[in-house]
Amino acid sequence: RADCQYYAKAELLADYLQKNLPDFRIHKITQHPHVWEEWLKHLCEKNKWSHKTSPIIWRELLDRGGKGLLLGGYNEFLEHAQLYYGVTSSMTTELMKAIAQENLETHIEKELEGEALKGLLSPLQVWITSASAPACYNLIPILTSGEVFGTHTEISITLFDQKEAEENLNMLMSEIRDLVSPFLRSVSVCTRVEEAFLQAHVVIVLDDSTDKEVHSLEDCIRSRVPLCRLYGYLMEKNAHESVRVIVGGKTFVNLKTVLLTRYAPHIAHNVVAVALGVEGQAKAALARKLGTTPSSIKDVIIWGNISGNNYVDLRQAKVYRRESAIWGPPHYSRPVLHLISDSEWVNGEFVATLKKLTATGEQFGAILAAHSIATTLKYWYHGSPPGEVVSLGVLSEGQFGVPEGIVFSMPVKFENGTWEVLTDLKNIEINERIMTRMTSDLIQEKLVALGDLINFQPYQSEADLALKDEKTAVPTTDDNQEGQRESGGRYIS
């Protein structure tokens, strides 16, 4: 702590050792008294230390590449110096107080200098398309809280939409300014297409509202092309070369993402689709069944079409902190499928519920959409929780046997500002029939959008075709469950 008297005494002793010992080096870190306790708590949690007072002193094992070895506080450091070097401190109390006050003043001066320099740096430019959409209202408070990009990053937000939405955008802009966020440098409105994405570091693509009437599924698919072509061209032309593009929403998410990668090829690796909304719905359904909280369920994998024909894979899923006869430490978990003995529920009600939510978009409202986008961005900038599997829609390069050139939701991890597909996970092979069902629709969507296919034919399994040939009006319960296992595809037994 910058005003700690014992830090001043330890600092003087350390300075003396560094001056007189050729291989002794010190590194000093001071924190303002207001943030000291939070900083100390984070440091100790990170290194698994137990220490509660100022100063905290540790030794880095540089010669062996080891992590820090905690010495303790001032008394432990004094004993260390006496034992190893035969040196002690004789600083008076008055001198300790004087140096402590000087240290605090110096620390505050450095903080002010840092803020001044920070003000000279360019903020992170964040653009939000279709900004008049309800999801944007819920997204803004999260983006400006400092939780997504970090408390050391200022952002500038640009609300981008059609000219007709300008009045609503101006009202939203006023509300955002009233937040008085310390992390928000500026907020502006853009309705001029040619200025879209200027110097953008982050582009968030929300569901676009279209007034154009469409008469068929094929028309609906093709209607996504002009806007994606325009956005792709403008991103390549105006955005920062390292721009990160994140596509959210509940309609044709995979299709819009693959079109953006096609029309903005230079940033294709940095265009992803949000799958955490579907993942969240699955975790919530499982939590209700298990009598626990959704946040205690990890490693649910969403495969395939995020807003269409997907497969919710529970084979890696685990439950933490669940009250039961078997209890363990915070890192202890149990497989979800071992705790749900009701396989009929997994193959029946669970599948049907999620399938209905995906098909209708029910319960996938503005709050869930905003939270999913913000969490994905947070992971992208700061890394996903260590060891945890995250679902993300990415451009396939042939992983898991998925055809190249389509956007497919897969298991990934975020690390060091990028993402990596987890191809080394065990026991996640996908049944060929389920894979065909998921990829067939995605391939057809792309072909129809690009004009290479006239009619979209939804995938039908052999069982479906057999039923159709027999002209069965209402399938039996057993047939219906079999169809759900293979066509609904939420669970591999």
Side-chain angles (χ1 to χ4, degrees), residues 173-181:
M173 179 173 62
S174 298
E175 287 191 57
I176 296 172
R177 287 172 175 166
D178 291 343
L179 291 174
V180 196
S181 167

Side-chain angles (χ1 to χ4, degrees), residues 325-390:
I326 301 176
W327 190 255
H331 62 270
Y332 174 74
S333 66
R334 301 179 69 189
V336 165
L337 292 178
H338 288 185
L339 296 175
I340 301 180
S341 58
D342 187 358
S343 61
E344 290 187 3
W345 179 85
V346 175
N347 293 324
E349 184 180 336
F350 179 66
V351 170
T353 299
L354 296 180
K355 190 172 184 179
K356 179 183 178 183
L357 290 175
T358 301
T360 63
E362 291 179 14
Q363 296 184 23
F364 194 77
I367 295 177
L368 180 57
H371 183 266
S372 304
I373 291 168
T375 304
T376 304
L377 273 174
K378 179 182 177 180
Y379 290 167
W380 205 345
Y381 273 86
H382 302 291
S384 50
E388 192 170 318
V389 179
V390 178

Side-chain angles (χ1 to χ4, degrees), residues 349-465:
E349 184 180 336
F350 179 66
V351 170
T353 299
L354 296 180
K355 190 172 184 179
K356 179 183 178 183
L357 290 175
T358 301
T360 63
E362 291 179 14
Q363 296 184 23
F364 194 77
I367 295 177
L368 180 57
H371 183 266
S372 304
I373 291 168
T375 304
T376 304
L377 273 174
K378 179 182 177 180
Y379 290 167
W380 205 345
Y381 273 86
H382 302 291
S384 50
E388 192 170 318
V389 179
V390 178
S391 302
L392 185 72
V394 301
L395 187 63
S396 172
E397 297 177 354
Q399 304 96 327
F400 308 110
V402 178
E404 295 184 25
I406 60 173
V407 168
F408 201 86
S409 181
M410 303 180 188
V412 307
K413 69 174 179 180
F414 288 91
E415 196 172 52
N416 299 322
T418 187
W419 51 266
E420 176 186 352
V421 177
L422 296 174
T423 54
D424 57 348
L425 290 176
K426 296 180 180 179
N427 302 319
I428 58 169
E429 293 78 12
I430 302 298
N431 177 285
E432 183 179 351
R433 189 176 301 177
I434 294 174
M435 181 65 78
T436 301
R437 172 181 58 80
M438 291 188 291
T439 57
S440 174
D441 287 355
L442 288 171
I443 292 170
Q444 286 194 78
E445 281 183 2
K446 182 180 176 181
L447 292 175
V448 169
L450 299 177
D452 297 326
L453 185 67
I454 303 300
N455 297 314
F456 182 93
Q457 296 292 334
Y459 174 77
Q460 290 182 304
S461 68
E462 294 177 7
D464 294 334
L465 293 173

Side-chain angles (χ1 to χ4, degrees), residues 127-133 158-166 168-169 189-193 207-209 231:
W127 283 69
I128 305 175
T129 74
S130 304
S132 59
T158 304
L159 307 172
F160 177 57
D161 211 325
Q162 299 176 3
K163 183 69 176 177
E164 294 78 8
E166 188 168 10
N168 290 335
L169 295 183
V189 167
C190 178
T191 58
R192 293 170 59 86
V193 173
D207 272 331
D208 54 290
S209 56
Y231 282 1

